[in-house]
Amino acid sequence: MRLLEARSLGHAVAGRSLVRDATFAMDEGELVALIGPNGSGKTTLLRLALGLIPSDAGSAAIGGTPVKALSPVERARRIAYLPQARPLVWPQPVRDIVALGRFAYGAAIGRLSASDETAVSGAIAACRLEGFEERAADTLSGGELSRVHLARALAADTPLVVADEPVAALDPLYQHQTMQLFAGMAREGRSVLTVIHDLDLALRYATRILWMHEGRIVADGPPRETFTEQRLCEVFGISAKLRDNGGAIRLDIAGPA
């Protein structure tokens, strides 16, 4: 059964097409990077596929069930979504924010079951947040807070995590640790779909790349097959060279094409 499937999705706003004829699917054990320039439709595609905004064309299903037929709770038990904007209403302690990931299972702050506690503690450890549990959110740096929100998504313990730019505010160490965490999840049979702007990270860690350009998915496949100098020029407008570094492909960006 497919964890997530989108067929010919389309969406327009004020007569402007943001996503056109987008088709893709997610299976178990994948780390898929969704890449493309700003304004190419990546966030809109995620929201369409999850049923968070209505589509003008096409359909989407989560775990084989049409998204329109899923309640918010059912959807949250199947997919953990980490949006690009992550507002906080008040400066909660870190542990309480992470525990929000368990609400779809009936948990409430201060009333966590043993399985909830295990999931929350595991997510905190996975995101290197031990010692931060009682810190108020408004005392954290932007990068620390990004890791807290990621831990909240991981605490849901879903088969699929969908994350929109989860490493954007992180320093290089935590960027790599986050991508290594995602890669480990994929090896264990869970899956991650993540929007990422760092092409080197996508090339190094993803098992598959979805390329978006002007609202369309223009390529879908393994990094070695889809990363080409011509495509980098056409999609991102950059001049770049790919080189083999001991079996690993590395990207050298010279500048605008």
Side-chain angles (χ1 to χ4, degrees):
M1 183 182 298
R2 292 283 170 83
L3 298 179
L4 178 65
E5 187 169 14
R7 295 182 179 178
S8 303
L9 286 175
H11 185 72
V13 174
R16 177 173 176 263
S17 180
L18 301 184
V19 172
R20 293 177 287 170
D21 195 28
T23 296
F24 73 95
M26 290 285 302
D27 293 318
E28 295 178 349
E30 292 193 288
L31 171 48
V32 178
L34 177 57
I35 66 174
N38 293 333
S40 58
K42 301 182 297 298
T43 295
T44 301
L45 176 60
L46 294 186
R47 299 185 71 198
L48 286 170
L50 297 180
L52 299 176
I53 56 175
S55 60
D56 299 325
S59 62
I62 297 174
T65 304
V67 292
K68 295 178 181 179
L70 289 170
S71 69
V73 169
E74 290 172 324
R75 181 175 57 210
R77 289 182 177 183
R78 299 187 187 195
I79 292 180
Y81 175 51
L82 181 64
Q84 195 176 127
R86 305 151 198 162
L88 288 173
V89 178
W90 64 88
Q92 301 158 282
V94 165
R95 189 173 188 83
D96 287 354
I97 296 172
V98 178
L100 293 174
R102 302 300 300 171
F103 275 24
Y105 302 93
I109 293 175
R111 290 185 289 132
L112 301 182
S113 68
S115 59
D116 293 330
E117 291 281 5
T118 298
V120 169
S121 296
I124 287 172
C127 294
R128 273 78 170 182
L129 290 167
E130 298 101 325
F132 285 77
E133 290 88 344
E134 302 306 319
R135 285 272 301 274
D138 61 349
T139 69
L140 303 177
S141 70
E144 289 167 344
L145 190 55
S146 291
R147 286 156 50 206
V148 171
H149 285 297
L150 175 60
R152 173 179 55 79
L154 297 181
D157 199 23
T158 53
L160 174 61
V161 172
V162 175
D164 195 347
E165 297 191 35
V167 303
L170 303 182
D171 62 37
L173 171 63
Y174 286 114
Q175 286 182 349
H176 282 273
Q177 287 181 340
T178 297
M179 295 303 292
Q180 288 170 358
L181 172 62
F182 288 163
M185 291 167 60
R187 287 192 296 270
E188 293 170 359
R190 298 171 69 187
S191 290
V192 179
L193 170 59
T194 180
V195 172
I196 188 169
H197 282 291
D198 189 313
L199 298 179
D200 276 311
L201 289 176
L203 182 58
R204 179 168 180 171
Y205 290 105
T207 61
R208 190 170 131 225
I209 308 287
L210 286 176
W211 294 70
M212 284 201 80
H213 183 52
E214 296 181 347
R216 293 184 180 274
I217 295 175
V218 295
D220 178 359
R224 281 181 174 270
E225 295 178 12
T226 60
F227 262 88
T228 66
E229 293 170 8
Q230 181 178 352
R231 181 167 288 126
L232 287 163
C233 179
E234 292 173 349
V235 173
F236 289 97
I238 57 174
S239 174
K241 295 292 184 181
L242 295 164
R243 56 186 175 84
D244 192 315
N245 183 17
I249 303 299
R250 293 291 179 260
L251 178 64
D252 291 328
I253 299 175

